[in-house]
Amino acid sequence: MGIVDDRLQVDIAGGLQLNNPIMTASGTFGYGNEFSNFVDLDRLGAIIVKGISLKPRPGNPPPRIVETSCGMLNAIGLENVGLDNFISEKMPFLRKIKAPVIVNILGDSLEEYQTLSEKLNDTSGISAIEVNISCPNVKRGGVAFGTDPAMVFQVTESVKSRTSRPVIVKLSPNVTDITATAQAAEDGGADAISLINTLLGMAVDHRARRPRLANIVGGLSGPAIKPVALRMVWQAANVVRIPVIGIGGIMTVEDVLEFMIAGASAVQIGTANLIEPDTTEKVLDGLLDYVEQNGGRPIREIIGTLQTG
Amino acid sequence: MMPFKCNAEVRGNEKITGDIWRLTLEVPALARVASPGQFVMAKGSKGSGPPLWRRPLSIHQVLDDARIQLLIKVVGPGTEFIAGRRPGETISLVGPLGRGFVLPEQSGNVCIVGGGVGTAPLFYLTSRLLGGSVKPESVKVFLGGATATDIMVLAKDFKALGAPVEIATDDGSAGYHGLVTELLNRLEPGKSWRVYSCGPHPMMKTVALYCLDRQWPCQVSLETLMACGISACLGCAVPGRGPTGLAGGGGYLHVCKEGPVFEAGEVAWEL
């Protein structure tokens, strides 16, 4: 089904128009090929691949995951194939997909973010870059960038200066004031912001008196975090003029509508992909039904229509 | 074979012991393609949960070109839900998943070492081995359980396949009083054995090291926590050996993708 339905189209970043607002969240959709038998990848609004670092990363020791009430904790440790392998092994498959491909990048230093941005700028078939400044799993990782507005500004500005592609900055929820980091990303030149990344959490085995994750702490995702995500999307959308992409526990089309009403121009589906690998396409079908049932009005008309009066 | 999502209809549900159940499912698309050692991710809840995750379950037997069997030990609400499905109900599966056992091309001596519910995938394996190049008299099946009731039904099923079975129990209520791995000493030392094992991790470690010492080919089926089963989350990592493994300067193996069956030498057992 390659027919474009303009009633589902949304604009997200630097002139990038998506055929629909349904994207995949980085780290829950592999490099796309893992899902080719479950989803018609061509139909998706965009595919965001697993976070890429300059060098391959082996990830954290196990156990890496824990199931929690309505969610999960992960401390995968940003395991990925590294930039060169990504370009040589993963991009040939991704280039054949009609959906825009967005590459999520992560680094230990400003220089790493800059090098990644430059090299990806020279790679064909990439529609935008998403900057992970918030993953809480790696000790030397992005947590310092994501929680300090000055550093958010700096990373955003350096990535922007090295690429002509639209730049999405993915915000950490592990802050007191999300509007400060949202504003910093916009000031740094971000074309869009996406939020939220996982919330820092932990789980304890009371019998062994040990943490359930080898990394002790990890990132919480899934339906458990949806109310926090909705609140932050709404707060951020109230202060920035750039598009906001909502992430956090989306499982159904109703969840998508809630995020869009709160101010999101598009959404990313994450943890749900792990449980029902065809979630994105099911939600997309549901969104089309919603449009049909509401007089065929374009879906973009509901963005930011929350009535608070 | 690329994995797919499907609904399986429950045709039978048999209680094996106190907390172990055997489901017979009609799911031709899977039955026709699943090989021994592969697994499925079964949904452990009605609607959207909880619990959130699917549960990884190895394929216990393929009865014909339409029906498969799963062996389920109830350890929490997810497995309780799956084990509680009655004939006529359906259950959502994703599969077939993972890399299964490699069957020998020629006849030879084969030893199967199973512990408790970990015996599940070894039953399909054994029936395929005996249906192929392996003769019943060159097979030894060692099964371990905490008590006799844990393992007697499964032992009977293996015997019905024509395989000689020896049992070990922790409490001595049946067979050898001790660990199933101690039965390995009963194998004739002059011969070479091809060993297949699945069970608790310490048991498999002992089996793997025993075989590596003797340079016997050995395959183990590992179990880990798993969120997706389709190599998207990378949560099911185990330390690997060799140039691509952690112990060799590389990284982790993923039980859902490179496994669940590994050659004993692929796993960094000491880490």
Side-chain angles (χ1 to χ4, degrees):
Chain A
M1 200 173 122
I3 306 148
V4 174
D5 187 331
D6 60 12
R7 299 169 304 178
L8 291 180
Q9 285 180 326
V10 292
D11 297 308
I12 53 151
L16 178 61
Q17 189 179 58
L18 305 184
N19 282 339
N20 64 71
I22 309 301
M23 310 160 82
T24 64
S26 179
T28 65
F29 210 69
Y31 300 104
N33 56 326
E34 293 87 346
F35 286 80
S36 58
N37 212 39
F38 298 105
V39 175
D40 179 357
L41 299 172
D42 292 343
R43 288 186 67 200
L44 298 178
I47 292 170
I48 305 189
V49 295
K50 179 146 186 61
I52 302 294
S53 51
L54 207 47
K55 298 272 175 275
R57 293 195 186 203
N60 285 333
R64 294 178 167 187
I65 51 173
V66 188
E67 192 174 30
T68 63
S69 299
C70 301
M72 66 180 280
L73 280 165
N74 87 80
I76 304 299
L78 303 171
E79 176 181 343
N80 76 95
V81 297
L83 181 68
D84 292 343
N85 293 328
F86 171 73
I87 291 171
S88 62
E89 291 168 18
K90 307 297 181 185
M91 276 310 294
F93 172 85
L94 290 165
R95 280 191 193 102
K96 288 185 262 174
I97 295 164
K98 294 193 183 83
V101 172
I102 299 176
V103 179
N104 182 287
I105 62 169
L106 57 106
D108 276 344
S109 63
L110 277 181
E111 293 70 31
E112 189 172 351
Y113 282 110
Q114 288 167 349
T115 312
L116 282 160
S117 310
E118 277 167 15
K119 291 199 170 178
L120 287 169
N121 199 48
D122 298 333
T123 306
S124 67
I126 296 168
S127 295
I129 288 172
E130 182 180 62
V131 191
N132 178 5
I133 55 168
S134 47
C135 197
N137 289 339
V138 175
K139 291 183 187 79
R140 296 189 302 144
V143 67
F145 293 108
T147 51
D148 174 5
M151 288 300 291
V152 173
F153 176 87
Q154 221 177 345
V155 178
T156 308
E157 200 178 39
S158 21
V159 170
K160 273 300 282 182
S161 71
R162 300 299 201 284
T163 180
S164 56
R165 303 256 161 74
V167 172
I168 303 163
V169 176
K170 185 169 182 175
L171 300 181
S172 168
N174 302 309
V175 295
T176 313
D177 180 8
I178 194 71
T179 64
T181 45
Q183 189 65 62
E186 180 174 46
D187 293 345
D191 298 288
I193 50 173
S194 54
L195 67 162
I196 58 177
N197 206 321
T198 56
L199 282 155
L200 262 181
M202 71 185 278
V204 171
D205 177 345
H206 73 271
R207 288 186 192 88
R209 299 196 188 185
R210 293 190 59 82
R212 289 192 183 275
L213 293 171
N215 193 58
I216 304 173
V217 298
L220 183 65
S221 67
I225 72 166
K226 196 184 91 174
V228 179
L230 271 173
R231 183 265 293 179
M232 289 192 168
V233 162
W234 177 71
Q235 287 179 324
N238 279 335
V239 299
V240 297
R241 291 174 302 277
I242 52 176
V244 173
I245 299 163
I247 323 164
I250 295 173
M251 308 285 280
T252 65
V253 67
E254 289 79 13
D255 296 333
V256 173
L257 296 169
E258 289 171 27
F259 272 91
M260 293 186 78
I261 289 165
S265 295
V267 297
Q268 296 177 14
I269 292 175
T271 300
N273 295 315
L274 307 178
I275 298 141
E276 298 297 344
D278 54 359
T279 302
T280 46
E281 206 171 0
K282 288 269 162 61
V283 167
L284 180 52
D285 289 339
L287 201 60
L288 195 55
D289 287 346
Y290 175 82
V291 167
E292 298 283 358
Q293 285 158 17
N294 286 274
R297 304 294 306 166
I299 197 68
R300 73 182 79 89
E301 290 184 3
I302 72 161
I303 298 169
T305 54
L306 187 74
Q307 306 295 308
T308 53
Chain B
M1 180 70 208
M2 290 285 282
F4 50 88
K5 189 171 148 179
C6 57
N7 281 320
E9 190 171 336
V10 179
R11 290 297 184 203
N13 190 347
E14 171 197 2
K15 185 173 182 169
I16 301 288
T17 68
D19 54 2
I20 299 178
W21 301 76
R22 178 156 51 199
L23 280 187
T24 301
L25 303 171
E26 180 153 334
V27 55
L30 262 174
R32 282 196 287 264
V33 298
S35 54
Q38 288 193 300
F39 68 102
V40 295
M41 293 294 285
K43 195 158 157 49
S45 64
K46 230 181 186 69
S48 57
L52 196 62
W53 291 349
R54 287 170 178 266
R55 295 295 187 261
L57 296 167
S58 56
I59 293 168
H60 176 56
Q61 179 62 303
V62 174
L63 293 173
D64 47 41
D65 61 3
R67 294 172 303 155
I68 69 166
Q69 290 185 315
L70 303 174
L71 195 68
I72 302 129
K73 184 182 172 118
V74 175
V75 292
T79 43
E80 188 179 5
F81 178 87
I82 297 163
R85 295 307 89 201
R86 314 312 313 171
E89 293 185 295
T90 59
I91 183 163
S92 167
L93 303 178
V94 172
L97 296 165
R99 197 180 66 156
F101 294 105
V102 179
L103 275 64
E105 283 169 17
Q106 305 134 347
S107 59
N109 300 308
V110 172
C111 177
I112 308 280
V113 188
V117 74
T119 301
L122 301 175
F123 191 58
Y124 182 25
L125 171 71
T126 305
S127 50
R128 282 287 289 271
L129 287 170
L130 293 172
S133 61
V134 176
K135 296 181 190 70
E137 57 271 24
S138 53
V139 175
K140 284 237 186 282
V141 177
F142 297 149
L143 300 179
T147 66
T149 49
D150 270 2
I151 207 71
M152 289 314 281
V153 176
L154 294 170
K156 197 168 127 260
D157 292 340
F158 275 88
K159 280 178 192 156
L161 292 176
V165 179
E166 293 177 49
I167 291 170
T169 52
D170 295 349
D171 64 354
S173 53
Y176 175 75
H177 186 179
L179 298 174
V180 67
T181 49
E182 289 157 18
L183 298 179
L184 288 167
N185 295 318
R186 295 182 179 180
L187 296 174
E188 291 155 66
K191 292 183 180 172
S192 176
W193 292 84
R194 177 179 289 272
V195 179
Y196 296 97
S197 184
C198 186
H201 196 81
M203 185 207 93
M204 282 190 287
K205 179 178 175 176
T206 305
V207 174
L209 297 179
Y210 190 93
C211 295
L212 287 169
D213 257 5
R214 288 159 181 76
Q215 296 185 309
W216 291 349
C218 172
Q219 292 172 38
V220 294
S221 178
L222 300 189
E223 187 180 33
T224 59
L225 284 173
M226 221 175 254
C228 72
I230 55 173
S231 75
C233 75
L234 308 181
C236 58
V238 292
R241 181 171 294 290
T244 58
L246 197 71
Y252 290 93
L253 301 166
H254 303 94
V255 172
C256 78
K257 189 185 177 199
E258 289 97 22
V261 176
F262 295 97
E263 297 288 340
E266 286 182 284
V267 180
W269 297 100
E270 72 280 15
L271 295 179

